[in-house]
Amino acid sequence: MSIHIVALGNEGDTFHQDNRPSGLIRTYLGRSPLVSGDESSLLLNAASTVARPVFTEYQASAFGNVKLVVHDCPVWDIFDSDWYTSRNLIGGADIIVIKYNVNDKFSFHEVKDNYIPVIKRASNSVPVIIAAVGTRQNEELPCTCPLCTSDRGSCVSTTEGIQLAKELGATYLELHSLDDFYIGKYFGGVLEYFMIQALNQKTSERMRKRKMTNSFHGIRPPQLEQPEKMPVLKAEASHYHADLNNLLICCQCVDVVFYHPEVTGVVEAHKIVLCAVSHVFMLLFNVKSPTDIQDSSIIRTTQDLFAINRDAVFPGASQESSSNPPLRVIVKDALFCSCLSDILRFIYSGAFQWEQLEGDIGRKLKDSGDVANVIEKVKCILKTPGKINCLRNCKTYQARKPLWFYNTSLKFFLNKPMLADVVFEIQGTTVPAHRAILVARCEVMAAMFNGNYMEAKSVLIPVYGVSKETFLSFLEYLYTDSCCPAGIFQAMCLLICAEMYQVSRLQHICELFIITQLQSMPSRELASMNLDIVDLLKKAKYHHSDCLSTWLLHFIATNYLIFSQKPEFQDLSVEERSFVEKHRWPSNVYLKQLAEYRKYIHSRKCRCSVM
């Protein structure tokens, strides 16, 4: 490997001829520790004068075994006389060095005006070093007269040298003398940096050419294509608050009625929803006792606002059942009762849309004092026991999560007998529940409890085909809008239960859980696990989980080498087997190419090109 350097320009001083024994290039070659070669091998004047009279040629070894070839042209007139040779040398150069003496402005202008444009056109992205040699002898300002030529004898300023370097995109150096510091460390350091860059570039090109050459000889290693992209499962948006709002609007499963003797009309609601967000209603409906709450402000708010009417007949309310009429509650504050429908809508929405509540109450009451009084009562109802009222600033609380996500939520009543009005019998055990939540969250149960079915009038309802743990997880989703299966098997059981009761969003959650669990398993765990992936696929198809079944087929095809060794792989149908074989990864073609390549590598004809 060799490096070609072209040096142009004369660093000699026309004003002070000191018969310098050698120039910049030869001084560097003679002094640099990285360059080896004696005087006789450095200079090849005899051969170069005949073959290339334009340049003086130097040859040496750099970095141990790298051939260094330098062509030096100190006379610009000779450079211009044989442009064909000059152009070829510049075009093949790895590094170009332009040198001039700072006290010879005539030659500087000759280089700048005549030859720099030629060098720009001839060199392509070749690093250029501009070396300004010597110490300035005359620093006075030149004459500015346009007809005066006295500035020809003045020195070349640093600004002019830097400007020339900018035009070429070159590295500018000032060498005040040709001693060891300026030649060996300063100029030599920059030149050797570009030499290393040139070596790296040539090495990269050589490796690329070698790879291209090797590709035409012997058998190339097969390229493993990427597996097909897995189907994307789109999650279904939550409609939790919308379900509870519909429950309030439709007035289904009402078990409590609010009224005021002086206000026309009644407001129907559901104990379970009210108790989920307020300890005041828990105390009112005997879910908790004053001893459990231990907060005098909540006890006082309950006594000041509400009272239970124990009369046998109340004509204003809709009767869900003659045997189980709704509880009648007297609202002691007439203004609060007139706004109770808006307050309940606010509570059923999650109890966090305060600005909307203030606007609704303001349109009814008009008086700002009355509005503030009602809002303050709502804050007292939603107060957490034992804490200072954290709802003082409604606008700040507006950005927070709904109260359904706090401890006083519907999860508190999951599998608890408190306020329960229906009991499920599963595997010899009972699970209490609340019709209002079931009707709001599940259309199948809404039809079951409101239609002409046995379950509409029965309190004890048997459940078949589902384990107690799975049904409790199903109820947990209905109550809290979330679930966390213990594993893939339980998630599939919950998916089957969700399909039975037509709860599509829960199906999607289970599908996503199964997919996430399988994707996170390393290949070794997939090979050793006891889970029957084909059985999982057949259950997904049977229960109309199209997204999961499609994903599982792609998953089996992507991990073909693992699942094809399992006995359950034979249980795939003809259609499923055809799909897996078509989309398998790695493909049959790749495996055949890999076998041929391995055979070629282990044959005697193969020789390693690196070692």
Side-chain angles (χ1 to χ4, degrees):
M1 190 177 295
S2 61
I3 298 177
H4 295 266
I5 300 175
V6 174
L8 304 173
N10 184 8
E11 67 274 30
D13 191 346
T14 57
F15 296 112
H16 303 278
Q17 298 294 338
D18 55 359
N19 296 322
R20 197 175 279 115
S22 60
L24 172 62
I25 296 299
R26 183 157 183 179
T27 304
Y28 166 75
L29 295 175
R31 294 183 180 181
S32 175
L34 297 178
V35 178
S36 59
D38 54 20
E39 290 292 329
S40 59
S41 63
L42 283 177
L43 183 60
L44 300 178
N45 271 330
S48 62
T49 303
V50 178
R52 292 176 180 172
V54 178
F55 290 88
T56 301
E57 181 177 323
Y58 301 94
Q59 289 189 6
S61 295
F63 307 109
N65 58 351
V66 178
K67 183 180 180 181
L68 183 63
V69 180
V70 183
H71 295 92
D72 188 7
C73 179
V75 182
W76 291 98
D77 291 337
I78 299 177
F79 174 85
D80 191 31
S81 64
D82 190 354
W83 173 239
Y84 179 79
T85 302
S86 303
R87 182 186 61 183
N88 289 340
L89 283 175
I90 293 177
D94 297 315
I95 303 170
I96 296 177
V97 178
I98 298 175
K99 45 195 173 66
Y100 63 86
N101 194 287
V102 294
N103 295 302
D104 188 359
K105 197 162 188 178
F106 179 84
S107 63
F108 172 79
H109 279 289
E110 192 174 52
V111 169
K112 179 181 178 181
D113 299 336
N114 298 328
Y115 300 104
I116 292 300
V118 177
I119 296 173
K120 284 182 179 180
R121 291 193 297 268
S123 62
N124 297 322
S125 302
V126 176
V128 179
I129 300 174
I130 295 180
V133 182
T135 303
R136 294 177 178 83
Q137 304 296 330
N138 186 10
E139 293 286 353
E140 70 271 7
L141 294 175
C143 178
T144 59
C145 176
L147 299 178
C148 183
T149 60
S150 62
D151 63 331
R152 296 292 182 90
S154 61
C155 60
V156 182
S157 66
T158 303
T159 304
E160 290 176 301
I162 294 175
Q163 184 62 34
L164 180 62
K166 287 182 178 180
E167 293 179 10
L168 282 175
T171 302
Y172 176 75
L173 304 177
E174 284 197 355
L175 310 177
H176 297 305
S177 64
L178 301 182
D179 57 12
D180 289 337
F181 173 77
Y182 285 104
I183 295 297
K185 295 183 179 179
Y186 193 25
F187 173 76
V190 176
L191 183 63
E192 288 156 12
Y193 169 78
F194 287 124
M195 288 166 62
I196 293 173
Q197 295 295 319
L199 285 174
N200 291 337
Q201 183 177 357
K202 288 189 174 185
T203 302
S204 300
E205 291 178 357
R206 178 175 293 184
M207 293 297 294
R208 182 177 58 83
K209 290 179 179 179
R210 179 179 295 176
K211 288 181 180 179
M212 293 180 62
T213 303
N214 291 339
S215 64
F216 296 102
H217 302 283
I219 300 177
R220 296 181 59 185
Q223 298 295 321
L224 180 61
E225 70 280 2
Q226 292 295 322
E228 292 187 11
K229 290 185 177 180
M230 305 294 284
V232 179
L233 183 63
K234 295 182 180 179
E236 184 179 337
S238 173
H239 39 78
Y240 186 68
H241 294 149
D243 291 341
L244 294 178
N245 269 322
N246 290 335
L247 177 68
L248 177 65
I249 295 171
C250 298
C251 297
Q252 295 177 326
C253 303
V254 171
D255 56 2
V256 61
V257 175
F258 296 91
Y259 73 98
H260 187 276
E262 299 178 0
V263 178
T264 58
V266 296
V267 180
E268 298 174 322
H270 309 83
K271 298 178 186 177
I272 178 67
V273 178
L274 299 178
C275 292
V277 295
S278 171
H279 284 80
V280 169
F281 291 113
M282 283 188 178
L283 186 61
L284 178 65
F285 300 136
N286 296 322
V287 174
K288 288 187 177 182
S289 65
T291 307
D292 297 329
I293 295 177
Q294 294 183 349
D295 191 314
S296 58
S297 62
I298 291 179
I299 298 173
R300 185 169 57 253
T301 299
T302 307
Q303 295 171 348
D304 293 346
L305 275 181
F306 305 108
I308 295 178
N309 185 354
R310 304 292 182 180
D311 294 343
V313 180
F314 181 72
S318 61
Q319 301 296 319
E320 290 285 325
S321 173
S322 58
S323 60
N324 190 22
L327 180 69
R328 296 173 296 279
V329 177
I330 301 173
V331 182
K332 298 180 180 180
D333 189 327
L335 291 178
F336 186 85
C337 185
S338 64
C339 302
L340 189 56
S341 59
D342 298 316
I343 296 171
L344 290 182
R345 186 164 57 249
F346 162 77
I347 290 175
Y348 276 64
S349 299
F352 71 104
Q353 298 175 350
W354 287 96
E355 291 184 355
Q356 182 177 345
L357 176 64
E358 290 183 25
D360 293 340
I361 295 176
R363 282 188 289 272
K364 281 189 176 180
L365 300 184
K366 307 300 182 182
D367 184 82
S368 59
D370 293 339
V371 173
N373 186 30
V374 171
I375 291 294
E376 188 62 31
K377 286 182 172 62
V378 175
K379 294 177 184 177
C380 293
I381 289 176
L382 300 178
K383 181 179 181 295
T384 302
K387 294 184 179 180
I388 300 175
N389 200 339
C390 60
L391 307 177
R392 296 292 182 186
N393 190 343
C394 297
K395 291 184 179 180
T396 301
Y397 195 76
Q398 177 81 15
R400 298 186 183 180
K401 292 182 179 180
L403 289 183
W404 304 119
F405 293 93
Y406 296 151
N407 293 330
T408 54
S409 65
L410 289 174
K411 192 173 183 179
F412 177 79
F413 298 93
L414 178 62
N415 197 22
K416 300 285 182 61
M418 298 173 295
L419 303 179
D421 51 4
V422 63
V423 177
F424 293 99
E425 185 179 13
I426 310 170
Q427 295 179 336
T429 60
T430 58
V431 176
H434 307 81
R435 291 176 186 260
I437 302 303
L438 303 179
V439 168
R441 300 282 289 140
C442 178
E443 293 182 0
V444 171
M445 288 194 174
M448 183 174 69
F449 288 128
N450 295 321
N452 295 322
Y453 299 101
M454 178 187 67
E455 291 83 358
K457 299 179 181 180
S458 176
V459 176
L460 186 64
I461 300 174
V463 176
Y464 304 102
V466 180
S467 67
K468 180 182 178 181
E469 291 75 13
T470 301
F471 194 75
L472 282 175
S473 297
F474 174 72
L475 291 182
E476 180 184 2
Y477 170 78
L478 297 183
Y479 278 64
T480 65
D481 201 42
S482 64
C483 67
C484 186
I488 294 177
F489 178 76
Q490 186 181 0
M492 178 53 72
C493 294
L494 186 57
L495 185 148
I496 294 172
C497 182
E499 190 267 340
M500 182 170 64
Y501 288 100
Q502 300 293 300
V503 183
S504 60
R505 184 170 181 269
L506 179 57
Q507 279 185 273
H508 291 156
I509 291 176
C510 294
E511 289 174 344
L512 188 60
F513 178 87
I514 294 172
I515 289 173
T516 303
Q517 290 293 310
L518 290 175
Q519 279 183 329
S520 63
M521 288 185 182
S523 299
R524 183 176 298 178
E525 187 175 350
L526 284 176
S528 61
M529 72 175 182
N530 295 323
L531 181 66
D532 189 339
I533 199 75
V534 177
D535 181 62
L536 206 64
L537 169 65
K538 293 187 179 299
K539 286 182 179 178
K541 279 192 171 184
Y542 183 79
H543 293 282
H544 309 289
S545 182
D546 298 332
C547 295
L548 180 60
S549 61
T550 303
W551 189 91
L552 287 173
L553 272 177
H554 279 274
F555 186 70
I556 294 172
T558 303
N559 298 275
Y560 183 87
L561 296 180
I562 295 175
F563 293 115
S564 62
Q565 305 300 317
K566 291 179 176 288
E568 61 266 18
F569 186 78
Q570 306 302 324
D571 297 335
L572 290 172
S573 65
V574 176
E575 182 183 356
E576 293 166 349
R577 186 72 172 266
S578 176
F579 179 90
V580 170
E581 293 291 345
K582 180 180 178 180
H583 298 85
R584 59 175 290 180
W585 185 86
S587 63
N588 266 327
V589 175
Y590 171 78
L591 294 178
K592 289 180 181 178
Q593 292 176 348
L594 182 61
E596 292 177 1
Y597 181 72
R598 285 177 173 173
K599 183 178 179 180
Y600 172 76
I601 289 296
H602 291 90
S603 67
R604 295 182 179 180
K605 297 179 181 180
C606 178
R607 294 292 183 269
C608 180
S609 59
V610 178
M611 300 301 291

